[in-house]
């Protein structure tokens, strides 16, 4: 794994505009950054990222099976009781899911360490699946990459295939919703809609705020059509506590991601995974937080923080980092395992699972060891090292 | 190879993302898929438009239905007894599915239909899924998959259940303007 400086494509901004990638720059700060890329060997990808992703995904699904039947654990995860039966039923019925992202700390040596599962509302999808792919194709065509360079990224193919395989079990009408004012989230659902259409599924976009409720507790779109299935790029735990949430269990609405994802999009799954698989090479030690002072070597994360908010990190050497944010409530502790630094940047690997298959990755790098919403997306390539270069 | 062989976009980037907002004069489109003129009238209470839309869809079906060189190929996709032989202008013969419904789209303002409509024939394949030609009503959205030689088809949903909305805005309260993704 190396960070390699690389000339940008002269026309990448025009290309971004052409494919609807409007959020390559957010609040005047760059988000898409192709002035460098990360180079991996195929062995690093397959042994250290792809295989552990598939294994951890299977372990995570296995945990759902255990947690839905365990009231003490559901309580530990701060899932409100009125939703327990509905979540359990969604798992018993194996309601279809689409995708998830595992975040890893990895430096090219030793096992990748799982930071968390983003299994409910993962973003950075379009840039990983499509724009990164286009970058590789363009740079190969310009001879800006070693001949034969590849990328761990069949995400788009996998999305279209996954939509195709769950098409029969998606209730219609199918709507995809995100927060109206977030261009990043809107771009992500527009992309998912494109993938669904390519799989032959008729669907429309809707702003989360425009969802309506009928007198008998069914959810409607702007034409008063009763929504059959809703893909919501919106946290389940937020829906639970908002005023329309109470209708979810009896509304007949199908959700993607399905209700059982509430168990996996919760950092409480990390101590449960550790308890069940203590010592697993890809897991970091994790416990539920008792609220006391954070000792050296531990990081505190709320059960439900996103985009690196409200994280407190106390490194073994005494250094401390903290990020602010809007989240409170119960927390977990995870053994501190700082991100590696490459040229003063801290890359976090997002490894995608679509359907149940590990199918690609995207890297985001920040200027500090906590990856926040300010982190830039940097493309990657699989490049086989020439032996002579390694020995030189 | 560890990457997608191809990655293309259908609609993204071809038009700005349009979210219909709740606006004051309540301009919206009404779209429906109907299996008969009677079903259309029951839903829209607009007998004249339903009859015209049906007639136009029937006429268009000859030109826009998926085309197969043999009855067997067509029936493999649309089911037994569901295909008919047709001729194009040059008297070439081919097989295509029977029109089993029609699609009607009207612009509405303040709850009333505005002048004009779009219609298209609709076909139901042997899995029960509806589709219509990519041209005609809603044209410009591009083809999604090929129903048969020459004609790109897009999926359409059957007319949804309706329910009077009593309230909106009960989701999205937590987010403010920040995104909700992670």
């Amino acid at each position: 794994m190396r960070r390699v400086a690389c000339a940008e494509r002269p026309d990448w901004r025009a290309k971004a505009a052409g494919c609807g990638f409007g959020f390559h720059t957010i609040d005047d700060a760059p988000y898409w950054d192709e002035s460098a890329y990360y180079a991996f060997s195929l062995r690093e990808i397959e042994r250290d990222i792809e295989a552990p992703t598939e294994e951890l995904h299977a372990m995570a699904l296995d945990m759902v099976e255990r947690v839905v039947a365990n009231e003490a654990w559901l309580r530990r995860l701060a899932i409100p009781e009125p939703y327990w039966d509905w979540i359990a039923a969604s798992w018993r019925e194996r309601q279809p899911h689409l995708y998830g992202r595992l975040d890893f700390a990895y430096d090219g040596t030793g096992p990748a360490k799982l930071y968390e599962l983003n299994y409910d509302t993962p973003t950075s999808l379009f840039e990983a699946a499509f724009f990164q792919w286009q970058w590789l194709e363009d740079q190969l065509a310009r001879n800006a990459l070693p001949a034969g360079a590849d990328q761990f990224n069949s995400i788009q193919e996998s999305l279209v295939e996954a939509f195709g395989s769950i098409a029969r079990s998606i209730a219609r009408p199918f709507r995809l919703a995100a927060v109206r004012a977030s261009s990043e989230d809107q771009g992500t659902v527009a992309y998912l809609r494109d993938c669904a259409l390519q799989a032959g599924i008729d669907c429309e976009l809707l702003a989360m705020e425009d969802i309506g409720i009928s007198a008998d507790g069914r959810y409607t779109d702007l034409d008063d059509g009763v929504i059959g299935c809703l893909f919501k790029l919106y946290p389940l735990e937020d829906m639970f506590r908002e005023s329309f949430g109470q209708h979810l269990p009896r509304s007949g609405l199908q959700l993607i991601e399905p209700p059982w994802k509430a168990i996996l999009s919760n950092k409480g799954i990390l101590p449960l995974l550790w308890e069940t698989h203590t010592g697993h090479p890809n897991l970091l030690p994790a416990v539920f937080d008792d609220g006391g002072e954070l000792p050296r070597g531990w990081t505190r994360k709320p059960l439900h923080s996103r985009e690196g908010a409200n994280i407190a990190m106390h490194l073994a050497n005494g250094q401390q980092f903290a990020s602010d944010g809007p989240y409170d409530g119960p927390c977990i502790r995870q053994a501190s395992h700082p991100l590696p630094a490459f040229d003063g940047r801290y890359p976090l690997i997002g490894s995608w699972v679509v359907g149940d298959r590990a199918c690609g990755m995207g890297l985001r790098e920040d200027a500090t060891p906590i990856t926040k919403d300010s982190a830039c997306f940097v493309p990657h390539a699989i490049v086989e090292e020439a032996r002579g270069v390694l020995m030189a | 190879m560890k990457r997608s062989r191809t990655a293309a976009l259908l609609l993204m980037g071809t038009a700005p993302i349009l979210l219909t907002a709740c606006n004051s004069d309540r301009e919206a489109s009404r779209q429906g898929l109907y299996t008969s003129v009677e079903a259309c009238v029951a839903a829209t209470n607009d007998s004249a438009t339903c009859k015209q839309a049906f007639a136009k869809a029937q006429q268009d079906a000859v030109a826009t239905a998926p085309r197969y060189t043999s009855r067997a190929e067509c029936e493999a996709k649309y089911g037994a007894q569901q295909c008919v032989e047709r001729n194009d202008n040059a008297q070439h013969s081919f097989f295509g599915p029977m029109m089993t419904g029609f699609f009607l789209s009207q612009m509405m303002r303040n709850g009333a239909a505005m002048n004009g409509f779009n219609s298209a024939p609709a076909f139901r394949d042997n899995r029960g899924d509806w589709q219509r030609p990519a041209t005609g009503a809603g044209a410009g959205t591009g083809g999604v998959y090929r129903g048969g030689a020459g004609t790109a088809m897009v999926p359409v949903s059957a007319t949804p259940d309706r329910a009077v909305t009593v309230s909106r805005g009960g989701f999205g309260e937590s987010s403010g303007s920040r995104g909700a993704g992670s």
Side-chain angles (χ1 to χ4, degrees), chain A residues 78 80 83 120-121 179 185 208 232-246 248 262 265 304-306 326-328, chain B residues 170-176 178-181:
Chain A
Y83 299 99
D120 182 24
T121 59
V179 172
D185 291 3
M208 204 64 205
K232 89 279 153 320
L233 191 64
Y234 197 77
L236 281 164
E237 69 269 13
D238 287 348
M239 296 175 80
F240 291 169
R241 64 164 184 266
E242 293 182 357
S243 53
F244 280 4
Q246 56 177 312
L248 283 168
S265 63
H304 287 129
S305 86
R306 281 161 210 257
Y327 302 100
D328 48 19
Chain B
F171 280 138
E173 296 160 338
S174 309
S175 70
R178 78 185 156 81

Side-chain angles (χ1 to χ4, degrees), chain A residues 280-295:
Chain A
H280 190 286
N282 299 110
L283 292 176
L284 292 166
V287 294
F288 285 95
D289 182 50
D290 59 9
E293 194 186 332
L294 188 64

Side-chain angles (χ1 to χ4, degrees), chain A residues 89-142:
Chain A
S90 79
W91 174 250
R92 273 199 311 275
E93 294 162 13
R94 294 295 190 278
Q95 287 182 13
H97 66 119
L98 182 66
Y99 74 150
R101 195 190 73 228
L102 296 85
D103 285 346
F104 287 115
Y106 177 65
D107 65 0
T109 64
K113 296 290 187 183
L114 178 71
Y115 266 20
E116 60 186 57
L117 303 172
N118 288 282
Y119 264 42
D120 182 24
T121 59
T123 53
S124 79
L125 179 68
F126 172 77
E127 43 279 41
F130 184 83
F131 207 63
Q132 173 177 239
W133 181 89
Q134 199 177 53
W135 169 85
L136 186 94
E137 295 287 333
D138 289 348
Q139 296 292 46
L140 279 174
R142 282 162 27 95

